């Protein structure tokens, strides 16, 4: 089990040159944008990062994330546990124009002044790994299947809707 905290800022080019590995925890309650998406969170995200240089001389960061969060069920709106997992490969670039030169399996990450806000990168990856929608199992949800049904199908009217120009004709006749 990981017990150390990740540093907020890193020098990724040095880490890649030394082929370093970082493992640690990132506090979920410090991730403001994640909180805006799914609500305030408690606990930590487990992070494992490997820095390397590929055969073309590009610096990269290979990472894995694991976090247990609480998200609202879309049926009953009660919070439920959800496990977020992400595996990613980031190409470190110092300029936006270099991002286009990366292979398609690398996602670019911009490194400014040889510094990288690591917690921001972790938060981005967690947000990208959020499921579109989450639901409790039917047996566990506070909203039953009967409550979700709309009842009898609405009767289809046989009448044709009035033409929108019919109103104009009536107004013209009154003038």
């Amino acid at each position: 089990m990981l017990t150390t905290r990740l540093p907020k800022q890193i020098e990724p080019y040095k880490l890649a040159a030394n082929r370093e590995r970082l493992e640690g925890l990132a506090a979920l309650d410090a991730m403001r944008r994640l909180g805006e998406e799914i609500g305030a969170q408690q606990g930590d995200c487990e992070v494992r990062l490997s820095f390397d240089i590929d055969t073309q001389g590009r610096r990269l960061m290979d990472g894995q994330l694991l976090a247990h969060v609480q998200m609202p069920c879309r049926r009953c709106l009660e919070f439920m546990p959800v496990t977020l997992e992400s595996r990613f490969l980031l190409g470190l670039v110092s300029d936006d124009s270099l991002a286009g030169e990366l292979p398609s399996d690398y996602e670019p990450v911009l490194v400014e002044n040889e510094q990288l806000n690591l917690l921001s990168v972790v938060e981005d990856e967690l947000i990208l790994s959020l499921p579109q929608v989450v639901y409790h199992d039917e047996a566990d949800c506070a909203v039953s299947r009967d409550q979700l049904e709309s009842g009898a199908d609405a009767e289809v009217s046989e009448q044709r809707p009035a033409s929108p120009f019919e109103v104009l004709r009536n107004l013209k006749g009154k003038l």
Side-chain angles (χ1 to χ4, degrees):
M1 178 170 180
L2 300 176
T3 57
T4 59
R5 292 273 166 212
L6 285 178
K8 184 176 179 173
Q9 292 279 93
I10 59 170
E11 294 180 5
Y13 292 130
K14 286 183 182 178
L15 293 171
N18 296 326
R19 292 176 163 62
E20 300 260 348
R21 191 169 161 81
L22 285 178
E23 294 185 357
L25 302 172
L28 293 172
D29 61 359
M31 299 181 188
R32 181 187 50 78
R33 291 178 295 129
L34 180 67
E36 290 171 0
E37 289 288 325
I38 61 172
Q41 299 295 312
Q42 299 296 316
D44 295 308
C45 175
E46 294 180 18
V47 182
R48 288 176 171 76
L49 302 170
S50 298
F51 296 83
D52 206 349
I53 299 174
D54 69 8
T55 56
Q56 302 299 315
R58 293 181 286 257
R59 289 155 180 84
L60 59 97
M61 177 171 45
D62 187 6
Q64 282 181 266
L65 303 176
L66 175 67
H68 302 287
V69 298
Q70 296 288 318
M71 291 182 66
C73 168
R74 294 295 179 181
R75 278 191 214 122
C76 67
L77 300 179
E78 290 182 18
F79 282 87
M80 60 182 282
V82 176
T83 299
L84 301 179
E85 292 183 83
S86 178
R87 177 84 194 211
F88 53 92
L89 184 60
L90 303 176
L92 306 171
V93 295
S94 57
D95 189 282
D96 285 331
S97 62
L98 299 173
E101 297 175 13
L102 290 174
S104 62
D105 54 339
Y106 289 34
E107 286 294 321
V109 65
L110 185 62
V111 178
E112 296 175 353
N113 300 324
E114 296 193 16
Q115 296 285 314
L116 181 64
N117 183 331
L118 187 56
L119 295 182
S120 179
V121 171
V122 169
E123 185 176 20
D124 289 345
E125 291 301 324
L126 281 175
I127 290 171
L128 289 171
S129 68
L130 290 173
Q132 292 278 332
V133 288
V134 290
Y135 298 105
H136 285 109
D137 286 335
E138 255 185 67
D140 299 331
C141 195
V143 175
S144 71
R145 169 169 265 183
D146 296 335
Q147 292 170 313
L148 294 175
E149 291 180 7
S150 61
D153 291 337
E155 292 181 26
V156 178
S157 174
E158 294 296 323
Q159 292 181 349
R160 266 190 156 195
S163 166
F165 299 106
E166 188 67 35
V167 175
L168 292 174
R169 267 187 243 132
N170 291 337
L171 285 174
K172 186 177 177 184
K174 290 181 183 180
L175 292 177

